[in-house]
Amino acid sequence: MNVKGMAIALAVLFCATIVQGFPMFKAGRCLCIGPGVKAVRVADIEKASIIYPSYNCDKLEVIIILKANKGQRCLNPRSKQANLIIKKIQRMN
């Protein structure tokens, strides 16, 4: 292999190792897909958690875990109920 071929091979290898560390998409893995529901029955709420925008997801997410193993729901962070939950959780901290 000549010097020119070796230089090209090293350049390609170098670029491949640099690109491997960069994220493929700007928005990472958000837990909520879509805007979420507007409201959830208060009696069904077991736990509420807020996930603030981060490197992985650039959206504010409000996740409600329901009682009786009914799963979880994503609450639209712009809804009235979500705003009340966010304020209540922030006061607790």
Side-chain angles (χ1 to χ4, degrees):
M1 191 178 229
N2 62 15
V3 177
K4 187 176 181 181
M6 182 72 90
I8 292 173
L10 285 173
V12 169
L13 184 62
F14 179 72
C15 289
T17 57
I18 290 175
V19 170
Q20 191 175 22
F22 289 107
M24 294 298 287
F25 304 103
K26 180 184 177 277
R29 298 175 187 233
C30 296
L31 297 175
C32 298
I33 298 172
V37 296
K38 290 183 180 180
V40 176
R41 283 186 45 198
V42 176
D44 289 341
I45 297 175
E46 181 176 321
K47 180 182 173 185
S49 60
I50 302 171
I51 301 175
Y52 292 96
S54 67
Y55 178 73
N56 293 329
C57 178
D58 59 355
K59 298 187 314 182
L60 174 70
E61 298 179 301
V62 180
I63 299 175
I64 305 296
I65 297 176
L66 303 171
K67 292 179 182 174
N69 295 325
K70 291 183 181 178
Q72 65 182 25
R73 299 284 183 270
C74 291
L75 197 59
N76 186 336
R78 295 181 180 170
S79 70
K80 287 182 182 180
Q81 188 178 29
N83 284 326
L84 292 171
I85 291 171
I86 291 169
K87 287 178 185 174
K88 191 170 189 175
I89 290 176
Q90 286 177 341
R91 273 188 261 143
M92 291 171 56
N93 292 334

